[in-house]
Amino acid sequence: MAKYANVNELSDSQLDNLLEPPALVQNAETFHDITESVCSIAEADRMPRSWYVLFTLALCFLGVLGAMIFHLFTTGVGVWGNNQPVAWGFPIVNFVFWVGIGHAGTLISAVLYLFRQGWRTGINRFSEAMTIFAVCCAGLFPAIHVGRVWVIYWVFPIPNQMDMWPNFRSPLLWDVFAVGTYFTVSLLFWYMGMVPDLATQRDRAKTKLRQFLYGIFALGWNGSNRHWHRYERAYLLLAALATPLVLSVHSVVSFDFAVAQIPGWHTTIFPPYFVAGAIFSGFAMVLTLSIPARALFGFKHIITMRHIELMCKVIMCTGMLVGYAYAMEFFMAWYSGNRYEGFTFVNRAFGPYAWAYWTMVSCNVISPQIFWFKRARRCIPLIFVISIFVNIGMWFERFVITVTSLNRDFLPSSWNYFSPTIVDILTLAGSFGLFFTLFLLFCRWLPQVAISEVKNVMPSAHPHGNHGEVNHD
Amino acid sequence: MNHTAPTYSADFATAAASRLSRAGFLCGVVGLAVAIGLGLAEGDHMRHFWLSYLIAFAFVLTLGVGGLFFVLIQHITGAKWSVTVRRQAEFAIGTIPFLAFLALPLLVPLFSHEGVEEFGGLLWSWVHPHGDHAALITSKVPFLNVNFFVGRFVGYFLIWSLMARYFKNASIEQDKTGEHELTVRMRTRSALCLIVLALTYSFAAFDLLMSTDPAWFSTIFGVYLFGASFLAIHCFLVLSTLYYQRQGHLKKMVTIEHYHDLGKLMLAFTIFWAYIAFSQYMLYWYGNIPEETAWYLIRITSPWTNWSWIEPIGHFFIPFLGILSRHIKRKPPLLGFWAFYILVVHYIDLYWLVAPNLYPDTVPFNGVEVFALIGVVGLFLWKYGQQAKQHSLLAHRDPLISDCLAFQNY
Amino acid sequence: MAITGRLTMTNQTSIHGILAEFDSVDGILHAAEKVKQEGYRKWDCHTPFPVHGLDGAMGIRQTRLPWLVLVMGFAGCSGGILLQWWTNAHDYVFRISGKPDWSLPANIPVAFEMTILFAALTAFFSMWILNGFPRWYSPLFRAKCFTRATDDRFVLAIDARDDLFGEETRKLLESLSPNTIEMIEAPIEDGKIPLRLKGMLGIALTLLLLPPAMIANARFTKSTQPRVHIVPNMDTQVTHRGQEASDFFADGQAMRLPISGTYAQEDDRLIGEQVGFWTGKENGAYLSSIPMDVTPEFEDRGRARFGIYCSACHAVNGSGQGTVHLRAQELLSKTWVGPTDLRTDAIKQQAPGQLFESISNGIRNMPSYSSQIPAADRWAIVQYLKESL
Amino acid sequence: MSQYHFPRWSNKIRPLLAVVALAGPVYLTGIVLYGASPETLNVGYAPEQPVPFSHKLHAGDLKMDCRYCHTTVEESAQASIPPTKTCMNCHDRIHTESPRLEKVRESAKTGQSIPWVRVHDLPDYAYFDHSAHVTKGVSCVECHGRVDQMDVVEQVAPLSMGWCLDCHRSPESHLRPVDEVTNMSWTSEIDREELGAKLREVNNIHPRQDCSTCHR
């Protein structure tokens, strides 16, 4: 709420700059309007036609994924382009890419929550769902890359007939714990936030079946303030726990590379650099999804221009953090005096994969610079294009890290050019099918916006009298 | 919704600031004099004194530049909670030109030919590469040479001073005019400044501290120092606010909620520091590549072992548990204790980063360090107090100040 | 003043409480303060979002949830450390990548994740459990105005079980100027789980017993079927092992004989210079001594080999009354010619070379043992026969 | 608008949910753990052999030493199934008409091996060396059980990796004097652990546990 002195003296552009537009929610007078605009989507008998088109397309890609995985299981990992010296190819690139995408959700829901950024409410549900589906896609790749997927349970510390335990000194096992914990906590966070909204949908549902199904998952929520009290505290605790968690997950993913002695991988800035990159790509994906969704489902008053502009700023900022890491790596490669390290970076920029490297730099570091201009931050088509550029750039970042460090390793005799097979490419494409199928189903049946939280940032949600203050001491 | 906007008045703490300033000056002069005296008595070409001076200087630099980071971040994020404490950070950044002056004595160990035979340079052995790594270090000469080094520092301080001047003056200007446009402009400019600051500060960290072991390198080193500086400035703000409140200022303007927020950020950056420090350690420990682990090897073998334990335990676990509870964050004197504690371990951290490089076989720590720290911090407070003497302790016409006082931690 | 008769019964329904609906945050806050002042205990506010200030107005005390989470966070952390110590440094020690058995730095990521996981699960589940969820049934849902408590209305509900519940309650609520006031009436249900559901549960439980029964059966019975490869992995590879059949070679065997004309070094047929050693004869005459160093080990070996290869027929004492002989006699005395008593002078006087030849090539009913016993061992047996028997 | 209301008993499902949540994973783990265990899947395998050879008769009643037939057990990795010739050492004269030995005689005549069925079959990626065990005092009994009491040989040990490792980690209770390895009925006069510890020292036994010991 705009409360500061002399608010009337400010011009419109100043107001925008101060992040104080009249309200976070526009054109919605009452709480009921919010309920109506969010719930009516799931209650509608039909979706917009484009939903069906997209869903069919997504299903096709999902089918491709299924076929590729079947092919992989029945034939073996030789169907991929992975070989010596590039033993880590597409699967790890895709894994890191998807985990990265999965970072924005928890960041928005947890970190921005802790920083009291009210604007998160418009997009948090949305991006949490995105997180969970992205982590599903991410988890897929390490699971299938083991080749013999039926022994994947070996990564868990459960007793087995070999009397062996997993090797906890392996960063790949840390991944299992990190990604597993991340998925669990994100799911809890997402579901917990959704329960009051599911209750809303339950109470609005017209058919018995819907009342029953939403009712089951709403757990009997009745909005009791005694419940809200513990609920809010638990939410805060989860946010406080999810914040270091979100940092740790991509740090652990970065350890996969950084604990190795491979030049270009073994560098200390990797953990924060990967985290910044993850947030960067995650926000880009939130934009890629929310721009069409807000148009399609009529959320322009909830996901406002202000939200989009803020996300552009986050993208620009994290893009520069990533650029900082690129620069530091380059400088240290020279400064360290390590010739292998130096060679790796020259090889990245000017070697056989220079095309990938420069794609990465232009997409990640150069393209977001346009967001310095306010007009660019308000031009929806441009933002959409840039967000896609960033997604591409961040995929290439992982590709560059993985492949360029391996393809010319310590032994020049084993140098080789990695090229993916068609199965690699179709599996990557198929993972998008999985992601979008889940996402479109989410859009169809579940509240896409955190209804109760959006209501909470509306001006009429705040008491005006001097009611009993909570004594915190 | 049409509240009549409350107005706030300026809060001049001339007397309190003067006292601080005078005490600082006294400490500075006495401390440095004693430190120099003790250093001379050691007869080691003043190497120990210069080490102590370097660390003490780095300590106040983290406060000054940390303050600059703080101010820039408050502007770029449009933070409301911090408006009533921001002015104190602005005083801290006002000392940056003076810090450049404090850096001047470091030219002595840089140019001195004392002890060249033994060490290659009193603080920076790359000045005259010698020993096992001479060839490696020589290959870094395009970057590590005295002229470029001095040139870089001139550049850093020029840039930092300009930024500091702008952000301090604009804020003070707002006290007079109340112009909102200033807030808008500061926000716009903070973005670019932040990038420049991040780059310059990283390189300053490499130059000043990391290059004391010219063979060693770490890409995260800049971030390490960011983390430490953020932590330091928040602690400093808690202590400074406590001081002024005890002197009868800012009574109503800095509430429990602000302490709570500062406490939360102290906790957050304690964790962030640990995260960065652990990442660096773990990756080098795991990789176990000789040129990288050597740095840690010195530190985890006697006589530095015990000092190294201070890092995880004293710099992370103890303060983490100390300020985890909201009850502690909401009790200013307790929080003040922890802020002071963290500043102490922050100094130890800086010392630990550098001293083992110069003294692998002994822990030279003694009165020289203590008095040098008292001296340099005293001089820093002297300038800090002088800043505070002239201006209001409160950015009382900042457009966000009402919001700053309105929020509550749920 | 308390009014008795907390449950006002009608025919099929019972009164559970009373609702007052408000349409603004201020309304509910004001009402909550009043109800609290009156001293009600069993009442609640139901709102579509958490209304800040209501906790204070209702006098709700801070939850203990953070403490639970803290404790479980520590439990997760120490559990994680313990797990890694026990599995990797104690129970199954990995000596790997040049790290100490107990490498704490490498264990921190997992310990950290376990801390977060435990703490988060605790926060989530404790919250629901403390709130008494899931609670699908509640008479509140029967109230007409209650459906909007999750939309845009703020509802204050006083439970009929409250000591103060009665006519005054309605008056109090009316004085707060709500939109509407409604009694919570719900049909009386006995709350018993239907028999059909219980039956289904019973069947499910019985079905759950099947797998353990199958496992027990497999454990306690024998089977002529080979091992079950749940997952074949690489249990069976294309390589061949000794004595396996193979269609690849004409003779159907995987094991190959040496290329003709070549012999293994220890092969009997590699006669070479030591003709006597291999045949027991030199220049047509039996060797009169053993062509090997006679050491105590050699003599022990002779006794042991005699026990393995000879004693079945010749008996341990050489009497010829071995177990095989006894059994053969029992079965078919007619065709069976008993083994020689090795203690007789006839045997004792034979030259070592002759004994060696008999073992190697067989004699009368005794088959050749050259394929079963290497030459050196045959000599050891000869030594045993000559000297110890 | 009629609304669906959950019946009152639905709240009673909560304890059931708790039980399922807590006991379900335990049950599943238990089923997988025991169901997929080699003790369930492998132990008790007693295939029908082409010739009903009885170890109980030969090794038990006739007290023939294992090595009479399995001659290579001390020298090579494999204990080796004896060739038909070994059978014919005696059966040339004994039971010459027995129909049960028809296949043996046929084999001796034609030179075609008898297709014995392998009972103890390790996966192909596991390497096991009989000689290394037998010559260090690990008896046949330890893995194959009391073969001298079996008419039909069956698998008594799971032969799983965990089972191998058990012994490699603490071999004491599985060691005996080297000359007693084929003595099926041997028992120790003193405590086996104690004896094992002594033997371990005398025979210099350090079982390896690294992967390449068995997976080579």
Side-chain angles (χ1 to χ4, degrees):
Chain A
M1 240 184 334
K3 262 200 208 163
Y4 51 80
N6 304 326
V7 63
N8 299 325
E9 291 171 15
L10 296 177
S11 68
D12 278 356
S13 72
Q14 285 168 335
L15 278 168
D16 276 346
N17 266 314
L18 288 171
L19 306 188
E20 283 293 343
L24 275 162
V25 184
Q26 291 165 1
N27 307 326
E29 292 297 309
T30 63
F31 297 131
H32 184 69
D33 291 345
I34 301 291
T35 315
E36 192 61 42
S37 53
V38 179
C39 290
S40 57
I41 295 162
E43 285 162 7
D45 291 331
R46 290 187 61 79
M47 289 270 97
R49 180 165 299 158
S50 43
W51 187 89
Y52 292 99
V53 174
L54 288 172
F55 190 65
T56 317
L57 207 62
L59 273 184
C60 292
F61 275 93
L62 182 62
V64 170
L65 179 70
M68 287 307 116
I69 292 178
F70 181 77
H71 178 49
L72 172 76
F73 285 179
T74 49
T75 315
V77 284
V79 299
W80 286 337
N82 302 9
N83 210 326
Q84 293 302 336
V86 184
W88 274 12
F90 264 40
I92 192 106
V93 174
N94 298 342
F95 163 68
V96 182
F97 172 72
W98 279 118
V99 174
I101 301 274
H103 271 57
T106 311
L107 187 94
I108 290 168
S109 24
V111 182
L112 298 187
Y113 182 78
L114 293 184
F115 282 111
R116 294 192 286 265
Q117 298 292 314
W119 61 277
R120 71 182 263 286
T121 55
I123 50 170
N124 73 331
R125 170 70 41 74
F126 205 80
S127 30
E128 282 165 30
M130 185 196 83
T131 286
I132 288 160
F133 306 143
V135 175
C136 288
C137 292
L140 182 73
F141 286 99
I144 60 174
H145 100 291
V146 297
R148 289 192 265 158
V149 75
W150 43 91
V151 292
I152 192 77
Y153 71 92
W154 285 354
V155 300
F156 298 110
I158 45 179
N160 62 37
Q161 46 179 285
M162 300 172 300
D163 264 15
M164 281 176 76
W165 297 103
N167 175 15
F168 281 100
R169 261 164 282 170
S170 159
L172 300 182
L173 194 66
W174 308 343
D175 267 350
V176 172
F177 277 77
V179 177
T181 304
Y182 187 56
F183 180 73
T184 312
V185 175
S186 303
L187 195 66
L188 298 182
F189 210 44
W190 183 57
Y191 176 61
M192 188 174 145
M194 207 152 51
V195 166
D197 297 349
L198 289 171
T200 307
Q201 288 209 319
R202 170 198 66 200
D203 293 343
R204 287 171 51 97
K206 298 282 189 295
T207 66
K208 285 237 160 105
L209 180 69
R210 286 191 177 196
Q211 285 164 355
F212 178 72
L213 287 176
Y214 283 125
I216 289 270
F217 289 104
L219 301 176
W221 181 263
N222 59 25
S224 153
N225 195 57
R226 295 176 199 280
H227 298 163
W228 275 122
H229 170 72
R230 292 195 191 92
Y231 177 93
E232 282 212 292
R233 183 40 61 95
Y235 200 83
L236 183 69
L237 286 167
L238 275 182
L241 291 166
T243 302
L245 175 65
V246 83
L247 289 185
S248 81
V249 175
H250 228 59
S251 299
V252 166
V253 170
S254 82
F255 289 160
D256 292 350
F257 298 92
V259 298
Q261 294 161 339
I262 309 278
W265 289 2
H266 185 66
T267 177
T268 47
I269 205 166
F270 255 39
Y273 154 42
F274 265 51
V275 172
I279 297 164
F280 182 49
S281 65
F283 266 92
M285 191 55 108
V286 174
L287 274 178
T288 310
L289 295 175
S290 61
I291 287 174
R294 71 197 274 276
L296 198 62
F297 299 113
F299 285 148
K300 288 189 179 172
H301 60 299
I302 295 174
I303 304 174
T304 61
M305 265 327 286
R306 185 182 153 202
H307 290 94
I308 293 192
E309 215 183 320
L310 282 166
M311 285 193 273
C312 290
K313 285 183 181 170
V314 174
I315 284 182
M316 188 168 77
C317 167
T318 45
M320 278 185 294
L321 286 180
V322 170
Y324 172 88
Y326 296 162
M328 281 304 139
E329 279 188 321
F330 249 95
F331 173 72
M332 281 297 167
W334 173 80
Y335 177 85
S336 68
N338 182 329
R339 287 191 298 174
Y340 300 102
E341 202 76 37
F343 170 79
T344 301
F345 281 90
V346 171
N347 184 46
R348 269 186 194 175
F350 307 108
Y353 291 101
W355 59 273
Y357 183 82
W358 293 108
T359 308
M360 164 188 105
V361 171
S362 7
C363 288
N364 290 352
V365 186
I366 299 169
S367 81
Q369 300 305 325
I370 196 153
F371 291 145
W372 283 104
F373 302 102
K374 190 170 186 66
R375 280 177 63 188
R377 293 199 300 266
R378 301 191 138 251
C379 173
I380 295 282
L382 179 76
I383 296 168
F384 188 68
V385 169
I386 300 280
S387 78
I388 299 223
F389 274 172
V390 171
N391 281 319
I392 294 171
M394 283 310 290
W395 189 88
F396 271 101
E397 181 192 296
R398 280 64 176 249
F399 180 83
V400 165
I401 291 171
T402 308
V403 175
T404 60
S405 280
L406 288 173
N407 90 307
R408 290 184 167 177
D409 62 359
F410 295 107
L411 267 182
S413 60
S414 67
W415 286 7
N416 203 356
Y417 191 84
F418 165 84
S419 13
T421 64
I422 188 76
V423 181
D424 275 319
I425 292 163
L426 288 180
T427 312
L428 170 62
S431 66
F432 279 91
L434 174 63
F435 179 75
F436 280 105
T437 305
L438 291 171
F439 193 78
L440 287 165
L441 283 174
F442 157 75
C443 290
R444 173 73 184 90
W445 299 112
L446 293 173
Q448 290 176 54
V449 173
I451 306 172
S452 66
E453 289 187 45
V454 171
K455 287 176 188 164
N456 211 0
V457 297
M458 289 170 73
S460 42
H462 298 273
H464 301 108
N466 192 15
H467 298 287
E469 287 292 309
V470 187
N471 188 2
H472 284 277
D473 279 41
Chain B
M1 291 257 303
N2 288 322
H3 292 278
T4 44
T7 50
Y8 302 94
S9 50
D11 190 349
F12 284 92
T14 319
S18 299
R19 270 197 295 279
L20 186 67
S21 182
R22 274 199 304 276
F25 185 74
L26 198 68
C27 284
V29 172
V30 174
L32 274 182
V34 175
I36 291 171
L38 290 173
L40 279 171
E42 290 194 18
D44 60 347
H45 314 291
M46 290 293 276
R47 192 175 190 227
H48 187 200
F49 170 78
W50 287 121
L51 168 70
S52 313
Y53 187 83
L54 173 69
I55 308 300
F57 173 72
F59 182 79
V60 294
L61 189 68
T62 59
L63 296 179
V65 182
L68 196 49
F69 269 115
F70 180 85
V71 171
L72 291 177
I73 286 175
Q74 305 316 313
H75 283 305
I76 200 169
T77 55
K80 295 167 189 161
W81 71 272
S82 60
V83 174
T84 55
V85 294
R86 201 187 63 227
R87 179 55 52 83
Q88 294 174 67
E90 285 162 0
F91 292 150
I93 67 178
T95 63
I96 288 178
F98 174 70
L99 292 182
F101 176 74
L102 275 185
L104 287 179
L106 289 170
L107 292 174
V108 177
L110 192 65
F111 283 105
S112 161
H113 278 266
E114 297 274 341
V116 162
E117 300 292 308
E118 289 161 78
F119 324 116
L122 283 177
L123 289 179
W124 295 285
S125 62
W126 48 262
V127 176
H128 304 283
H130 73 299
D132 299 342
H133 304 304
L136 172 69
I137 295 160
T138 310
S139 74
K140 302 183 181 186
V141 161
F143 185 75
L144 293 180
N145 64 71
V146 175
N147 293 333
F148 192 18
F149 186 87
V150 174
R152 282 201 297 277
F153 269 94
V154 171
Y156 302 151
F157 274 107
L158 208 63
I159 291 167
W160 298 341
S161 303
L162 284 174
M163 283 187 208
R165 215 178 79 126
Y166 171 72
F167 283 96
K168 196 192 94 186
N169 288 352
S171 178
I172 285 165
E173 168 109 9
Q174 203 174 40
D175 283 2
K176 298 181 192 117
T177 63
E179 201 186 327
H180 295 131
E181 191 59 38
L182 281 168
T183 303
V184 177
R185 216 178 298 146
M186 280 195 279
R187 168 162 311 162
T188 323
R189 296 195 179 166
S190 57
L192 193 63
C193 288
L194 205 52
I195 298 165
V196 176
L197 180 61
L199 279 172
T200 47
Y201 196 48
S202 299
F203 280 96
F206 299 157
D207 289 339
L208 204 60
L209 305 177
M210 196 172 88
S211 79
T212 53
D213 179 351
W216 191 74
F217 53 90
S218 169
T219 41
I220 210 174
F221 201 83
V223 185
Y224 188 104
L225 217 63
F226 296 161
S229 306
F230 285 138
L231 183 57
I233 189 64
H234 286 108
C235 295
F236 179 76
L237 287 179
V238 169
L239 289 176
S240 162
T241 311
L242 268 175
Y243 171 76
Y244 285 119
Q245 285 200 330
R246 201 153 280 188
Q247 302 286 330
H249 300 283
L250 294 174
K251 276 284 185 196
K252 285 192 175 156
M253 303 310 286
V254 180
T255 66
I256 295 291
E257 305 299 336
H258 295 101
Y259 280 110
H260 192 171
D261 270 2
L262 282 167
K264 283 197 271 192
L265 286 162
M266 274 161 61
L267 179 67
F269 283 110
T270 299
I271 298 170
F272 183 76
W273 173 88
Y275 162 63
I276 297 298
F278 174 72
S279 298
Q280 178 174 287
Y281 170 67
M282 217 275 288
L283 292 176
Y284 278 174
W285 170 84
Y286 202 109
N288 208 11
I289 297 174
E291 67 259 32
E292 294 169 353
T293 32
W295 196 85
Y296 279 105
L297 198 62
I298 299 170
R299 284 160 176 77
I300 60 173
T301 42
S302 183
W304 287 102
T305 320
N306 292 338
W307 279 76
S308 296
W309 278 113
I310 297 178
E311 294 286 281
I313 295 171
H315 203 313
F316 174 63
F317 281 111
I318 293 174
F320 172 78
L321 294 174
I323 50 179
L324 186 61
S325 161
R326 69 188 265 125
H327 302 290
I328 288 169
K329 290 194 274 270
R330 297 179 76 86
K331 289 195 177 58
L334 265 178
L335 191 66
F337 164 77
W338 285 111
F340 183 75
Y341 173 88
I342 292 174
L343 283 177
V344 171
V345 283
H346 169 58
Y347 174 80
I348 293 173
D349 179 37
L350 291 173
Y351 190 70
W352 178 87
L353 284 176
V354 174
N357 296 340
L358 305 180
Y359 292 89
D361 307 318
T362 48
V363 180
F365 192 89
N366 61 23
V368 181
E369 274 87 352
V370 178
F371 284 104
L373 181 67
I374 292 174
V376 174
V377 172
L379 290 179
F380 171 79
L381 290 177
W382 169 49
K383 284 315 265 190
Y384 177 72
Q386 279 189 343
Q387 302 275 329
K389 218 154 54 175
Q390 303 157 12
H391 308 292
S392 163
L393 262 182
L394 188 70
H396 63 284
R397 293 182 76 181
D398 190 295
L400 297 171
I401 193 161
S402 305
D403 287 341
C404 173
L405 291 167
F407 84 91
Q408 244 187 17
N409 283 298
Y410 287 107
Chain C
M1 200 212 276
I3 287 183
T4 49
R6 292 176 203 165
L7 282 180
T8 316
M9 296 285 199
T10 61
N11 271 347
Q12 290 298 314
T13 62
S14 64
I15 300 290
H16 288 267
I18 188 165
L19 291 180
E21 185 200 276
F22 301 87
D23 57 6
S24 76
V25 171
D26 294 303
I28 188 88
L29 278 168
H30 174 68
E33 276 163 10
K34 277 280 181 290
V35 173
K36 185 186 154 206
Q37 271 172 21
E38 291 294 320
Y40 283 90
R41 284 163 179 279
K42 291 186 172 124
W43 63 286
D44 209 339
C45 298
H46 300 269
T47 55
F49 54 83
V51 175
H52 291 150
L54 202 50
D55 287 357
M58 288 177 65
I60 294 175
R61 277 192 296 170
Q62 284 285 341
T63 167
R64 277 162 212 264
L65 204 60
W67 289 106
L68 267 173
V69 171
L70 182 71
V71 169
M72 287 306 282
F74 278 120
C77 183
S78 31
I81 298 270
L82 208 65
L83 172 76
Q84 295 178 80
W85 168 79
W86 197 80
T87 53
N88 277 189
H90 179 74
D91 188 50
Y92 184 82
V93 180
F94 269 100
R95 303 251 153 81
I96 206 162
S97 70
K99 303 278 181 289
D101 292 348
W102 176 226
S103 300
L104 196 58
N107 294 328
I108 286 180
V110 170
F112 173 82
E113 302 300 337
M114 294 282 282
T115 311
I116 299 286
L117 184 66
F118 271 51
L121 288 173
T122 309
F124 181 81
F125 285 107
S126 310
M127 186 274 288
W128 293 120
I129 290 168
L130 288 175
N131 280 343
F133 283 128
R135 181 160 48 187
W136 291 289
Y137 168 82
S138 166
L140 276 172
F141 294 132
R142 297 276 173 176
K144 280 189 199 71
C145 64
F146 199 74
T147 49
R148 288 185 75 175
T150 53
D151 180 4
D152 59 348
R153 289 291 187 266
F154 306 84
V155 173
L156 193 147
I158 299 179
D159 198 305
R161 284 167 299 184
D162 193 287
D163 294 334
L164 301 176
F165 188 81
E167 267 313 298
E168 276 85 355
T169 311
R170 176 179 277 272
K171 279 181 199 144
L172 169 70
L173 291 180
E174 270 163 3
S175 75
L176 300 168
S177 56
N179 283 1
T180 51
I181 288 184
E182 190 182 340
M183 297 302 276
I184 310 166
E185 261 183 298
I188 296 169
E189 296 179 47
D190 59 5
K192 278 188 189 144
I193 296 174
L195 200 64
R196 211 165 41 157
L197 199 74
K198 281 185 181 166
M200 273 154 64
L201 261 176
I203 293 170
L205 279 176
T206 321
L207 286 176
L208 283 180
L209 289 176
L210 266 179
M214 283 161 68
I215 292 170
N217 178 50
R219 285 214 159 196
F220 299 114
T221 57
K222 288 181 197 173
S223 157
T224 54
Q225 296 305 305
R227 69 172 286 195
V228 182
H229 294 250
I230 292 182
V231 174
N233 289 321
M234 289 192 274
D235 285 9
T236 316
Q237 300 172 3
V238 285
T239 51
H240 284 295
R241 293 182 299 184
Q243 299 193 301
E244 253 180 17
S246 163
D247 296 335
F248 186 77
F249 297 106
D251 62 0
Q253 292 179 2
M255 280 166 94
R256 310 311 305 145
L257 289 167
I259 296 164
S260 77
T262 63
Y263 301 105
Q265 282 194 349
E266 66 277 19
D267 196 290
D268 283 13
R269 286 163 293 182
L270 192 73
I271 341 179
E273 287 153 25
Q274 290 180 291
V275 180
F277 176 79
W278 298 110
T279 60
K281 273 188 203 162
E282 226 157 54
N283 304 325
Y286 290 120
L287 288 192
S288 57
S289 66
I290 289 174
M292 292 179 77
D293 289 340
V294 178
T295 59
E297 290 79 37
F298 184 69
E299 292 185 312
D300 285 348
R301 178 118 184 131
R303 184 187 306 110
R305 297 299 115 176
F306 183 85
I308 295 168
Y309 297 109
C310 314
S311 66
C313 292
H314 290 287
V316 182
N317 59 6
S319 63
Q321 303 296 309
T323 48
V324 171
H325 165 65
L326 294 177
R327 180 162 166 88
Q329 248 185 349
E330 198 181 303
L331 292 169
L332 42 127
S333 46
K334 265 182 280 174
T335 51
W336 180 253
V337 180
T340 314
D341 183 344
L342 298 174
R343 297 170 301 186
T344 55
D345 285 349
I347 299 292
K348 287 270 175 202
Q349 280 157 12
Q350 280 184 15
Q354 193 181 354
L355 289 170
F356 179 86
E357 194 193 47
S358 303
I359 300 173
S360 303
N361 300 336
I363 186 162
R364 289 192 296 279
N365 284 341
M366 178 168 138
S368 153
Y369 273 84
S370 60
S371 63
Q372 261 162 294
I373 317 175
D377 282 353
R378 276 174 257 151
W379 283 115
I381 292 171
V382 172
Q383 167 69 17
Y384 178 71
L385 284 178
K386 292 297 284 178
E387 301 301 328
S388 305
L389 202 62
Chain D
M1 182 175 76
S2 78
Q3 221 173 339
Y4 176 80
H5 291 287
F6 284 89
R8 195 165 163 197
W9 57 259
S10 64
N11 287 349
K12 287 195 179 163
I13 294 177
R14 280 181 289 186
L16 185 71
L17 283 181
V19 170
V20 170
L22 295 175
V26 177
Y27 175 82
L28 275 181
T29 315
I31 290 294
V32 173
L33 212 61
Y34 284 95
S37 152
E39 294 211 37
T40 311
L41 300 178
N42 302 355
V43 173
Y45 174 42
E48 214 175 304
Q49 300 289 357
V51 178
F53 176 84
S54 166
H55 276 84
K56 182 170 185 287
L57 174 66
H58 292 82
D61 302 346
L62 299 179
K63 294 197 172 52
M64 289 169 72
D65 195 280
C66 307
R67 290 165 289 191
Y68 183 88
C69 301
H70 305 291
T71 50
T72 61
V73 72
E74 289 175 314
E75 276 91 35
S76 82
Q78 280 207 311
S80 79
I81 307 296
T84 309
K85 192 246 161 211
T86 306
C87 307
M88 294 307 280
N89 279 354
C90 300
H91 288 294
D92 209 13
R93 308 272 184 282
I94 306 171
H95 279 319
T96 47
E97 302 295 317
S98 167
R100 300 166 81 183
L101 288 167
E102 184 53 43
K103 280 196 178 149
V104 179
R105 288 192 294 272
E106 195 187 308
S107 163
K109 214 181 291 168
T110 61
Q112 284 294 310
S113 304
I114 303 168
W116 298 105
V117 180
R118 189 173 196 134
V119 183
H120 296 85
D121 192 8
L122 288 180
D124 286 2
Y125 50 77
Y127 174 80
F128 178 82
D129 191 322
H130 277 87
S131 67
H133 293 82
V134 169
T135 55
K136 288 289 184 184
V138 180
S139 165
C140 316
V141 180
E142 300 298 337
C143 309
H144 298 285
R146 288 297 296 271
V147 173
D148 61 325
Q149 294 172 353
M150 298 178 192
D151 268 322
V152 179
V153 173
E154 65 175 273
Q155 185 175 337
V156 292
L159 304 188
S160 65
M161 179 168 155
W163 174 82
C164 292
L165 274 171
D166 262 348
C167 187
H168 272 235
R169 284 173 191 164
S170 43
E172 285 80 5
S173 58
H174 304 277
L175 294 177
R176 57 171 73 182
V178 177
D179 41 3
E180 299 288 355
V181 281
T182 56
N183 184 353
M184 297 276 126
S185 52
W186 177 85
T187 49
S188 174
E189 281 155 20
I190 57 168
D191 179 50
R192 267 202 90 171
E193 287 283 341
E194 204 180 305
L195 175 72
K198 266 186 222 154
L199 287 170
R200 194 175 172 179
E201 194 160 329
V202 173
N203 293 335
N204 199 20
I205 293 170
H206 300 289
R208 286 164 57 193
Q209 290 171 41
D210 48 287
C211 313
S212 62
T213 307
C214 308
H215 307 295
R216 28 175 85 177

